[in-house]
């Protein structure tokens, strides 16, 4: 099975690669096709209802009023469709950092230090899953253990598997669904 990333509510990017990431990420977002799921090649469908569309518009509006920059998107389309949107220069003072989006909006947040990004990542009432990418094995273990999430993916956008429980912590922690009673640990 090929890894398919999930829709992240917040994307933290280190200073040194922020602008390059933003450029490449935006190019990938621009390739997404918006439309009904019955059409060939569609990646992004409509929001569930008018209230969801209003919430996305409110979150993007609040972010831009407080200094976020729309790199691409940012507009409602016909019906309950919303453009795939990338927001840059997002800060912790914006509502989009503290609410679940449930729409095609990617807030990109710049960070400098490991402790800083862990604090920002954990500053949410939700804790279903977190994903991060890193090369340093020491950092991988430090960050994975410091993140307050039920599941943590390292160098992958997919952490769910049929042989492991699925669940979160905080307000995302209403129990665990055990998909299998078999646990396996592989050591090299």
């Amino acid at each position: 099975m090929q890894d398919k990333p999930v829709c992240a509510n917040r994307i933290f990017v280190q200073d040194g690669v922020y602008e390059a990431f933003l450029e490449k990420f935006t190019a990938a977002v621009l390739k997404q096709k918006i439309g009904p799921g019955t059409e060939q090649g569609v990646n992004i469908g409509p929001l569930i209802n008018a209230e969801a569309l209003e919430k996305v518009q409110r979150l993007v509006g609040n972010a831009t009023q407080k200094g976020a920059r729309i790199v691409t998107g940012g507009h409602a389309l016909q019906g309950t469709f919303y453009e795939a949107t990338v927001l840059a220069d997002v800060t912790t003072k914006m509502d989009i950092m503290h609410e679940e989006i449930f729409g095609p909006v990617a807030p990109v947040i710049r960070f400098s230090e490991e402790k800083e990004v862990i604090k920002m990542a954990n500053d949410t009432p939700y804790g279903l899953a977190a994903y991060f990418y890193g090369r340093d094995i020491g950092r991988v273990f430090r960050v994975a253990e410091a993140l307050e999430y039920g599941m943590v993916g390292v160098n992958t956008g997919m952490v769910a598997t049929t042989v492991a429980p699925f669940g979160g912590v905080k307000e995302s922690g209403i129990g665990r669904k055990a998909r299998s009673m078999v646990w396996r640990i592989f050591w090299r």
Side-chain angles (χ1 to χ4, degrees):
M1 175 198 250
Q2 181 184 13
D3 280 356
K4 300 265 184 200
V6 296
C7 184
N9 276 296
R10 302 175 298 166
I11 300 171
F12 299 95
V13 182
Q14 195 170 29
D15 275 335
V17 295
Y18 187 84
E19 293 302 330
F21 173 87
L22 204 53
E23 184 179 320
K24 290 178 182 181
F25 182 69
T26 300
V29 167
L30 288 169
K31 293 178 184 175
Q32 303 303 303
K33 183 177 178 185
I34 302 168
T38 55
E39 288 182 15
Q40 186 71 19
V42 167
N43 314 89
I44 300 172
L47 279 75
I48 193 163
N49 56 31
E51 291 80 22
L53 179 62
E54 290 169 11
K55 180 180 181 180
V56 169
Q57 290 175 306
R58 177 182 59 79
L59 290 172
V60 171
N62 172 272
T64 56
Q65 287 172 353
K66 293 183 177 180
R69 174 172 47 99
I70 296 175
V71 181
T72 190
H75 297 96
L77 303 171
Q78 185 176 3
T80 58
F81 289 92
Y82 195 83
E83 288 180 306
T85 302
V86 176
L87 294 176
D89 308 325
V90 174
T91 70
T92 58
K93 293 181 175 27
M94 300 170 187
D95 292 346
I96 204 160
M97 285 288 290
H98 307 285
E99 295 183 38
E100 292 182 299
I101 302 165
F102 295 114
V105 180
V108 183
I109 305 98
R110 183 188 305 258
F111 75 92
S112 298
E113 302 293 325
E114 185 178 305
K115 286 182 181 180
E116 170 193 20
V117 73
I118 291 169
K119 182 179 181 198
M120 285 192 293
N122 288 338
D123 186 20
T124 176
Y126 308 104
L128 180 59
Y131 309 85
F132 74 95
Y133 294 80
R135 293 182 186 160
D136 179 301
I137 194 70
R139 175 171 284 155
V140 164
F141 281 102
R142 279 192 314 275
V143 172
E145 293 208 5
L147 290 172
E148 297 167 357
Y149 290 82
M151 300 174 290
V152 177
V154 179
N155 296 332
T156 183
M158 184 72 163
V159 294
T161 177
T162 58
V163 296
F166 178 88
V169 297
K170 302 178 190 179
E171 290 183 25
S172 297
I174 311 217
R176 294 246 193 263
K177 179 179 178 184
R179 292 193 175 141
S180 172
M181 297 304 290
V182 177
W183 284 83
R184 294 183 179 140
I185 300 174
F186 295 95
W187 296 95
R188 194 170 194 179

